[in-house]
Amino acid sequence: MSARRIVILGNGVAGATCALDLRARDDRAEITVISDESDYFFSRTALMYALMDKLPRAGLEPYERRVWERQRITRVRGRVTDLDAERKQLTLADGTTRAYDALVIATGARPRALSVPGIERVRSGVTSFVSLSDLDACESLVATSERAVVVGGGLIGVELVECLVHHGVKTTFVVREPWCWPAGLGAEEGAMVADHLRKHGVDLRFERTVASVEPDASGRVSAVTLSSGERVACEMFGVCVGVEPNVAWLRACKSVPEIDGAIVVDDRLRTSIESVWAAGDCAAVRAGTALVHEPIWYTAKRHGAFVARQLSGSSERYTAPVFKNSAKFFELEYTAVGQCDPRAHKSALWTHKSLPIAARLFHDGATLWGFSALGSRWDTTMIGRWVEERRPLDWARARLREAQFDPEFSRMRVETSAEAWR
Amino acid sequence: MKRKGAAGWLAHDVTHRGVTAWALALAILGFYVVLYWGDNAQGINPFDRVAWALHIGRHGQSGAKWTLYGALYTAAVTLGGIAFLRRYGHNRYQVVRTIVVIVVQATLAFSVPLMMKMAGHPEHYFSYLWPLKMYYFEPGFIRSNPAPLVLWSFIGSLVIAPVLAVIYGKRWYCSWVCGCGGLANTAGDSFRHLSDKSEKAWRFERVSIYATLIITVVTTALVLASAFVQGAHPQLDLWSEKFRTNYGLIVSSLLSGIIGVAAYPIGGTRVWCRYFCPMAAVLGLFQRAGRFRIRVKEDQCISCGMCSEHCEMGIDVRAYAQANESFTRASCVGCGMCSEVCPRGVLTLENAHTKAPQEQLVQLRLKK
């Protein structure tokens, strides 16, 4: 019997993890990774450090290049235009076809476009910040811009703003919500982040959206008008209003798996088409009647590893472990463990008396549901277990000092009395 | 991308092996060549004259260049240290470490030996030990120095240094006390990312550093043996002298001084420490056997690579972090910069292997 042909679409963290983990379990399989973005897996999360000259381009790649040759993982640069499930075959944009025995779709997400009046007339100066080509675009735009507007108060928006500030570009940051990232930050933490951004010279505009965009005679963006009517002149306009699953290409295919915003997968990450899996930002896992879509790095990596195990014979069912996420707002690090939506759970907050440090315990009055922290480091493995074991709130609060993870000599004194947590 | 303007160009060029980086490396190289071998027939070095002009040392005294060199070195560590503190002042580990490095350099490595010399004693560098300073095990040193100094040299080298390395890792020395590390972590800090992270470099490092250690041990043994037999074996004396001279030239002057510092803008700040230093080799072995490690927080690495990029010892920290592997590498000097630059706070330096979380949970359950 000839070796199994396994084709992985996308060489982001889900696809690359899947390929490497599969090779570790299956020495014979023919593994091919197809990507139309880059020749080698790179860390999307590090784009900002390349833009700030803190990393060289080669530093973006988490593995030495010869790893792929040594692991016998064939890399193909190209765009897939058709999927034929009956013949188990893919067609690429250049007309070539490629047969598979198992297919893993890990095409990730793409930046959501902004549709506001005027944007169709702008030919340059507008960019997002999620791909290598965005990095190229940002590098040339930063070099030729004095002022910039960034819209979207999420993590990518903050990262782009940090880069612009680093390069001395005067930046107006337009955020629809009353503070940055309310899905993760409470109002108090939001205020700390806003203070921090302002200290770095960011011109913050909360509860504003972009009403229209104007190009100059050459087609380069020249001004952005906000919902307040204010007109901000700029030469660069960063659009960071979130990402959406990269699945539009599938709709033009002969065989289309079930899609509900993202590709719907079952609890073994199988799509509705036989022998086709999906992993990462492009996939949503059906859990009962709900669809769980977590477009974050950690989940994509876990999906990739899970599919690799499936392809090497495992029949385990996918269960998401305790949710963990992290972010950084300029110098302020943020960590979350468990269920940390300030809008959905009760919480108790402790803030440092002088530094921008906050920690929040999410609870139902008795047990711990989640923990989030800003400006300090925590052992999320330990706290994750507390959440998993439904530890009493008081019990967890009393033990918080054990879970501090800041560098030596840098651990601040955390108040553990109930009165200090409001 | 580099920052705008001429200042941006220069900052990038000098730290990314550009023209100015090579010019700087050549200038440092030239400085050391003149310092070591620039004496004229009367034994006067151009830097002696500079020193005299600055009223350092007595006019006409030939060793004044070394006092000048010590002052320059200390100034570089202090000024570089202040710049480093301004940048990383929010991290108390970095603050404490840097202050200790500056103070040790200004006292034990500069003013204390200087005062000894001024008082007519032979100078002694308390912060340097065998095998880094081979002379402190040589008969010439043992015979001409008071017992407490000799005792310090032996106990420090053979007992204190290894014990501290087992408890705290080699960092207590390499990034807290040692002058080579001191300069690297202060004035040299902008060049730390230039270290070679490849697997090839790691393979070379493992050969070169232990080879140097073996040469150091052999040379010391020869010198001691030749002194012990007191001329009974002229052949031994000859070999011992040959080894000693070549060691002094190749290891002490060429590798630790010239290559070590001149390579900053090209190969990063720890070329000497990583590939050749015999002290680092010994301490690294004790570190491997000891308690120090870098702990990796599970499933939180985003593979950005800032840790690897900032590792002056060329360790690919990301490889461990993205695989959830806590680790101890012999070469790690414990500077703590991987932990500092990690945007997700995934890494921490620790001296004690804490128990696995499962064990902790068992204990927690028992306590409940």
Side-chain angles (χ1 to χ4, degrees):
Chain A
M1 196 184 114
S2 63
R4 258 192 323 163
R5 292 159 301 180
I6 292 166
V7 177
I8 300 168
L9 297 189
N11 69 352
V13 64
T17 305
C18 184
L20 288 170
D21 280 24
L22 183 61
R23 174 57 77 219
R25 288 157 191 280
D26 184 341
D27 197 45
R28 286 194 65 217
E30 275 176 28
I31 306 174
T32 305
V33 178
I34 303 177
S35 164
D36 72 334
E37 185 188 16
S38 63
D39 290 335
Y40 293 92
F41 166 47
F42 72 95
S43 177
R44 209 171 290 286
T45 48
L47 286 177
M48 63 180 294
Y49 300 111
L51 184 51
M52 291 195 284
D53 202 18
K54 292 183 179 183
L55 281 180
R57 289 280 175 119
L60 295 178
E61 292 169 18
Y63 297 94
E64 277 190 50
R65 290 190 165 183
R66 57 185 185 157
V67 165
W68 307 103
E69 271 61 47
R70 247 183 348 211
Q71 297 295 319
R72 290 170 287 122
I73 291 165
T74 311
R75 294 165 299 100
V76 173
R77 189 76 187 266
R79 173 180 285 273
V80 171
T81 51
D82 194 30
L83 161 60
D84 184 339
E86 248 165 67
R87 297 164 70 181
K88 288 197 169 178
Q89 181 177 288
L90 296 168
T91 308
L92 275 72
D94 61 7
T96 56
T97 58
R98 195 166 276 269
Y100 64 83
D101 296 310
L103 176 68
V104 182
I105 303 176
T107 47
R110 47 192 312 134
R112 204 170 277 151
L114 189 72
S115 62
V116 291
I119 202 145
E120 70 288 345
R121 290 184 293 126
V122 178
R123 285 198 299 277
S124 70
V126 179
T127 181
S128 182
F129 194 43
V130 299
S131 66
L132 281 180
S133 54
D134 289 342
L135 177 60
D136 292 334
C138 284
E139 289 195 344
S140 69
L141 289 176
V142 164
T144 53
S145 299
E146 294 290 321
R147 295 152 304 174
V149 173
V150 174
V151 63
L155 306 185
I156 299 173
V158 176
E159 289 177 359
L160 180 56
V161 170
E162 182 175 348
C163 296
L164 293 169
V165 168
H166 169 90
H167 284 292
V169 177
K170 281 205 186 77
T171 305
T172 300
F173 191 16
V174 183
V175 179
R176 184 180 58 191
E177 294 81 12
W179 61 84
C180 286
W181 203 41
L185 297 178
E188 291 85 352
E189 292 94 325
M192 282 179 185
V193 169
D195 268 359
H196 188 68
L197 263 58
R198 283 197 185 99
K199 269 189 198 131
H200 280 279
V202 180
D203 174 25
L204 273 169
R205 303 300 164 86
F206 289 121
E207 297 183 289
R208 297 280 182 277
T209 53
V210 168
S212 65
V213 185
E214 296 162 40
D216 64 11
S218 73
R220 171 102 175 230
V221 66
S222 64
V224 168
T225 303
L226 308 187
S227 51
S228 56
E230 184 190 3
R231 186 174 171 279
V232 184
C234 62
E235 296 86 44
M236 178 175 175
F237 179 35
V239 178
C240 306
V241 292
V243 294
E244 56 196 14
N246 181 16
V247 293
W249 62 278
L250 271 169
R251 298 190 198 278
C253 292
K254 191 168 171 215
S255 315
V256 186
E258 183 188 351
I259 293 174
D260 184 355
I263 303 168
V264 178
V265 292
D266 66 5
D267 59 3
R268 295 177 66 182
L269 303 194
R270 294 177 298 202
T271 67
S272 60
I273 300 178
E274 207 195 314
S275 303
V276 179
W277 277 259
D281 291 3
C282 66
V285 185
R286 179 168 280 147
T289 52
L291 274 181
V292 180
H293 182 234
E294 286 174 2
I296 61 176
W297 179 269
Y298 306 126
T299 305
K301 190 172 170 181
R302 198 183 311 117
H303 280 186
F306 181 89
V307 173
R309 292 200 296 276
Q310 290 287 314
L311 290 174
S312 40
S314 164
S315 57
E316 66 182 301
R317 315 237 155 219
Y318 184 83
T319 48
V322 172
F323 180 81
K324 285 175 193 163
N325 202 3
S326 64
K328 197 174 184 189
F329 306 92
F330 285 58
E331 279 105 43
L332 295 183
E333 285 173 30
Y334 165 88
T335 324
V337 189
Q339 299 187 19
C340 297
D341 188 342
R343 297 166 299 193
H345 292 276
K346 274 195 276 195
S347 67
L349 173 76
W350 170 76
T351 51
H352 192 277
K353 57 185 185 298
S354 52
L355 299 169
I357 293 174
R360 202 182 273 272
L361 290 159
F362 293 86
H363 60 89
D364 56 10
T367 49
L368 182 69
W369 280 85
F371 172 81
S372 74
L374 187 73
S376 56
R377 292 179 174 181
W378 298 85
D379 186 342
T380 46
T381 312
M382 189 187 282
I383 298 176
R385 285 178 201 281
W386 296 352
V387 171
E388 213 163 30
E389 298 179 341
R390 295 273 174 268
R391 292 283 172 179
L393 175 65
D394 295 338
W395 183 95
R397 190 182 52 234
R399 276 162 188 79
L400 266 183
R401 280 180 201 153
E402 293 169 26
Q404 283 185 275
F405 207 75
D406 298 289
E408 291 149 297
F409 313 122
S410 280
R411 292 178 188 168
M412 73 288 167
R413 204 186 140 71
V414 188
E415 286 298 331
T416 50
S417 65
E419 302 78 60
W421 291 74
R422 312 213 162 266
Chain B
M1 71 178 287
K2 53 184 176 260
R3 284 186 215 242
K4 291 177 221 178
W9 176 85
L10 182 63
H12 178 90
D13 194 68
V14 78
T15 55
H16 289 79
R17 299 194 185 102
V19 187
T20 48
W22 283 97
L24 181 61
L26 282 176
I28 301 171
L29 186 71
F31 168 79
Y32 274 98
V33 169
V34 173
L35 183 74
Y36 281 120
W37 297 295
D39 293 8
N40 63 13
Q42 286 78 44
I44 301 298
N45 190 282
F47 287 115
D48 286 328
R49 295 179 203 285
V50 177
W52 302 334
L54 296 168
H55 303 284
I56 294 171
R58 269 195 318 278
H59 193 87
Q61 182 196 29
S62 66
K65 65 176 182 181
W66 295 119
T67 310
L68 172 70
Y69 177 58
L72 282 176
Y73 202 98
T74 306
V77 170
T78 308
L79 295 176
I82 291 168
F84 183 85
L85 286 171
R86 287 172 63 110
R87 226 170 137 190
Y88 299 109
H90 52 267
N91 182 330
R92 294 256 282 282
Y93 178 73
Q94 299 302 342
V95 172
V96 176
R97 187 175 70 82
T98 305
I99 290 173
V100 170
V101 155
I102 296 172
V103 170
V104 169
Q105 173 61 36
T107 56
L108 299 184
F110 181 60
S111 46
V112 170
L114 185 64
M115 283 188 282
M116 290 172 82
K117 202 158 80 177
M118 279 157 56
H121 286 284
E123 55 184 5
H124 191 83
Y125 292 83
F126 290 90
S127 52
Y128 291 109
L129 297 162
W130 185 89
L132 179 54
K133 193 94 171 170
M134 200 164 67
Y135 174 65
Y136 289 168
F137 266 26
E138 285 178 15
F141 170 79
I142 297 168
R143 284 199 205 100
S144 61
N145 275 279
L149 279 193
V150 176
L151 207 63
W152 165 248
S153 179
F154 274 78
I155 294 182
S157 304
L158 298 178
V159 182
I160 298 177
V163 167
L164 287 178
V166 167
I167 301 175
Y168 301 111
K170 77 202 257 189
R171 55 180 171 156
W172 81 267
Y173 191 74
C174 297
S175 64
W176 283 69
V177 169
C178 178
C180 308
L183 188 69
N185 287 168
T186 52
D189 191 65
S190 315
F191 302 109
R192 62 162 51 244
H193 59 283
L194 296 172
S195 60
D196 190 338
K197 313 298 189 303
S198 70
E199 220 182 291
K200 237 187 222 165
W202 185 17
R203 274 205 293 272
F204 177 75
E205 162 200 320
R206 280 177 293 184
V207 173
S208 64
I209 195 163
Y210 296 117
T212 317
L213 177 62
I214 290 167
I215 294 169
T216 311
V217 172
V218 168
T219 309
T220 309
L222 277 174
V223 172
L224 284 174
S226 126
F228 190 72
V229 300
Q230 297 208 338
H233 299 279
Q235 200 63 27
L236 183 66
D237 295 348
L238 195 74
W239 275 102
S240 130
E241 197 43 42
K242 236 185 212 168
F243 262 75
R244 216 178 79 93
T245 319
N246 281 317
Y247 187 89
L249 176 72
I250 297 172
V251 181
S252 307
S253 308
L254 207 68
L255 293 179
S256 93
I258 299 182
I259 304 295
V261 181
Y264 273 23
I266 307 304
T269 46
R270 293 281 195 167
V271 171
W272 157 252
C273 313
R274 180 184 181 191
Y275 297 112
F276 306 109
C277 177
M279 183 85 184
V282 171
L283 293 177
L285 292 173
F286 284 103
Q287 169 162 286
R288 284 299 306 267
R291 306 190 311 157
F292 171 78
R293 69 168 175 178
I294 293 179
R295 182 141 70 101
V296 172
K297 208 196 283 184
E298 237 173 74
D299 291 330
Q300 288 288 284
C301 174
I302 53 170
S303 298
C304 71
M306 287 287 277
C307 49
S308 297
E309 178 73 3
H310 281 77
C311 181
E312 54 186 345
M313 297 306 279
I315 300 171
D316 188 3
V317 184
R318 166 167 57 186
Y320 299 93
Q322 67 192 2
N324 292 332
E325 290 282 344
S326 297
F327 68 101
T328 308
R329 275 272 288 268
S331 63
C332 173
V333 291
C335 67
M337 288 303 288
C338 53
S339 160
E340 159 60 29
V341 299
C342 174
R344 298 298 186 263
V346 171
L347 305 161
T348 195
L349 277 55
E350 57 182 27
N351 294 322
H353 287 215
T354 48
K355 288 180 188 120
Q358 290 89 336
E359 293 173 81
Q360 288 180 332
L361 279 176
V362 171
Q363 286 179 341
L364 291 176
R365 275 198 201 96
L366 293 176
K367 264 193 248 169
K368 199 173 147 191

